[in-house]
Amino acid sequence: DEYLEKGFCRIPQCFPLALIHTWAKDLHWLVETQLRRLGLELSDEPDPVRCLSCSLIKLWQAKPEAQSWIYDEVNRRPWMFELASSRLLLGWVQEMLGTDRIAIHPRINMIMNMPHHEWHVAYWHQDRFYNPAHLISYIPWQDTGAFNGGLKVAVGEHRRGLLPHINPHNPRNKWLVIPEEVVSSFADIKQL
């Protein structure tokens, strides 16, 4: 009901913290291999997710192109496929879409935002503009907001149907976006 009314559904703590820490430790191992190659020390943060964040930033500052390698490796990790095909997540998707005929997109993506690094920031758009049967799962591993990549949603705007999208002629953004005059008409924008 929340999904139909708002156009999104928030399910807090959908995966156990211990499981997220397991994924973070595996991802940290990938980052660690690159840091060691550069002769850099690892972060000593005790929290696995915070440790991963600090180590990713350290690696990115020392060798920005290493982030591409990390992205490619993460997308091949078995736990990424397990996450995308988890019964829990698939059950929610089936319930929200009202069908059991679903497919997992072949490109399972993890976004690792770096400070002040906005080349992949998603500007205002509708996922369904690109694919009518598209549903995105946004699963942050740490508290997020405007300061570190949190998602903004326009509550209920999905009921207006597909909105116009334009090419913003912005070299930092390759995606079509909803024009600013339409965005300014959104009645209820929420920062998740």
Side-chain angles (χ1 to χ4, degrees):
D1 292 339
E2 182 181 10
Y3 177 71
L4 292 174
E5 177 189 332
K6 295 181 178 180
F8 71 96
C9 182
R10 186 174 177 272
I11 305 168
Q13 301 172 356
C14 61
F15 292 99
L17 192 56
L19 186 56
I20 292 173
H21 284 178
T22 301
W23 300 334
K25 286 176 184 174
D26 182 58
L27 181 51
H28 192 267
W29 176 81
L30 293 172
V31 175
E32 179 182 353
T33 61
Q34 295 301 302
L35 286 172
R36 288 190 192 276
R37 283 183 175 173
L38 298 171
L40 297 173
E41 295 294 319
L42 304 173
S43 171
D44 58 0
E45 280 280 341
D47 177 81
V49 174
R50 185 79 192 128
C51 181
L52 173 60
S53 290
C54 292
S55 296
L56 272 169
I57 291 169
K58 184 184 284 191
L59 177 61
W60 175 70
Q61 289 170 338
K63 188 177 180 185
E65 61 273 16
Q67 187 178 8
S68 294
W69 182 83
I70 298 292
Y71 269 117
D72 291 343
E73 288 301 309
V74 166
N75 289 327
R76 290 194 281 266
R77 306 309 285 177
W79 52 264
M80 284 290 283
F81 294 93
E82 291 167 9
L83 169 61
S85 62
S86 77
R87 290 271 171 223
L88 184 62
L89 190 58
L90 292 178
W92 288 328
V93 170
Q94 289 169 336
E95 185 177 334
M96 285 186 268
L97 294 178
T99 181
D100 60 352
R101 297 186 188 278
I102 61 172
I104 298 171
H105 194 282
R107 178 73 168 145
I108 302 169
N109 194 20
M110 175 182 281
I111 297 174
M112 297 173 270
N113 292 339
M114 294 296 124
H116 312 291
H117 198 221
E118 300 178 355
W119 65 267
H120 62 290
V121 169
Y123 296 93
W124 281 105
H125 69 280
Q126 289 176 302
D127 292 321
R128 290 192 169 187
F129 178 80
Y130 295 101
N131 181 343
H134 203 74
L135 184 73
I136 297 290
S137 296
Y138 170 72
I139 306 169
W141 286 10
Q142 59 187 339
D143 290 338
T144 60
F147 65 98
N148 68 343
L151 186 66
K152 276 187 181 179
V153 294
V155 180
E157 295 298 330
H158 66 294
R159 289 180 288 212
R160 291 168 62 177
L162 286 180
L163 299 173
H165 285 63
I166 61 168
N167 183 336
H169 303 292
N170 181 344
R172 293 186 338 187
N173 181 16
K174 64 182 180 177
W175 307 105
L176 298 175
V177 300
I178 297 173
E180 181 56 42
E181 59 272 10
V182 176
V183 172
S184 66
S185 73
F186 292 166
D188 188 8
I189 294 175
K190 293 255 186 273
Q191 175 76 60
L192 300 184

